Amino acid sequence: MRKIKLLFKLYSEGVSKRKISLQLGISRNTVAKYIDFFKRYQFTGYEISAMTLEELDRLFKSDQKPKPEKLVILEKYFPYFDKELRKTSVTKELLWQEYYTKHPDGYQLSQFRYWYREWNKEVSPVMHFTHKAGDKLFIDFTGKKLSIVDKHTGEIKDLEVFVCVLGSIHM
């Protein structure tokens, strides 16, 4: 929503749609759709800058079609799925199977994944960082241990798996 406010501010200052697109990192078609939306409702730059982010969000949601009942039912499961996915060995496919056994007329796996991804964008916004190549090292353990067998004694030993990644510029 902050980008939308900035988009309209730039547009009202006379910045071209192409430059707004480049500056905000959104497609020109999306920029044009937002501008058309504001023109349709005849909002002024002052009105938009005075709106809170919540008011803008409600404004866009009020323009949408109501959600199908099937989707409303599915979305009730998403907080639980989100919590379960943090556990080891839990996958979206396993969660879909759990959902589908309770709702055989519900969404298939591909739609299930799509709607979960859409829901996740709303509740867990992601902020992208640009890193100078090789400047930072991100480290963690996988959480699961691997087992190896000592060939001399036959003893099974558990090993931690250490993962590290160098940050770089994403283009």
Side-chain angles (χ1 to χ4, degrees):
M1 290 300 134
R2 284 186 179 96
K3 278 188 178 182
I4 294 169
K5 283 182 110 170
L6 185 55
L7 177 151
F8 198 74
K9 179 180 181 274
L10 291 170
Y11 180 74
S12 60
E13 291 172 355
V15 179
S16 72
K17 292 176 186 174
R18 185 172 176 270
K19 285 185 180 176
I20 294 171
S21 168
L22 290 171
Q23 186 173 346
L24 299 180
I26 9 181
S27 75
R28 278 186 281 172
N29 289 337
T30 304
V31 170
K33 284 179 186 176
Y34 280 122
I35 290 169
D36 290 342
F37 179 86
F38 288 123
K39 282 181 180 177
R40 182 173 11 137
Y41 290 102
Q42 299 176 344
F43 284 111
T44 65
Y46 176 76
E47 289 172 320
I48 292 184
S49 65
M51 285 183 183
T52 65
L53 298 179
E54 291 79 22
E55 288 171 331
L56 266 177
D57 191 42
R58 269 193 308 261
L59 179 68
F60 285 110
K61 288 188 177 175
S62 69
D63 197 46
Q64 296 173 351
K65 297 178 196 170
K67 291 180 182 178
E69 182 65 25
K70 216 165 49 165
L71 181 58
V72 172
I73 291 169
L74 177 63
E75 284 184 338
K76 289 179 182 175
Y77 285 94
F78 287 158
Y80 163 73
F81 292 158
D82 194 44
K83 186 177 174 185
E84 288 296 304
L85 280 169
R86 296 173 200 277
K87 295 179 181 175
T88 324
S89 302
V90 176
T91 63
K92 288 179 190 154
E93 189 167 351
L94 283 173
L95 294 172
W96 171 77
Q97 288 171 357
E98 184 180 325
Y99 155 77
Y100 201 69
T101 54
K102 293 178 185 172
H103 303 281
D105 59 331
Y107 289 104
Q108 294 296 319
L109 182 60
S110 61
Q111 283 292 297
F112 171 84
R113 288 182 174 174
Y114 170 79
W115 287 117
Y116 179 74
R117 204 170 32 250
E118 291 300 306
W119 175 82
N120 208 18
K121 285 179 194 174
E122 283 185 30
V123 297
S124 304
V126 176
M127 180 179 251
H128 295 278
F129 293 100
T130 304
H131 301 284
K132 188 173 161 188
D135 188 41
K136 292 185 176 144
L137 178 71
F138 301 93
I139 59 172
D140 199 1
F141 289 95
T142 60
K144 274 191 162 184
K145 294 183 179 183
L146 292 179
S147 300
I148 61 165
V149 179
D150 186 329
K151 65 180 176 182
H152 299 293
T153 63
E155 180 185 357
I156 298 175
K157 295 182 179 181
D158 289 334
L159 298 174
E160 292 280 352
V161 179
F162 177 75
V163 180
C164 61
V165 177
L166 285 171
S168 69
I169 298 172
H170 178 67
M171 300 223 175

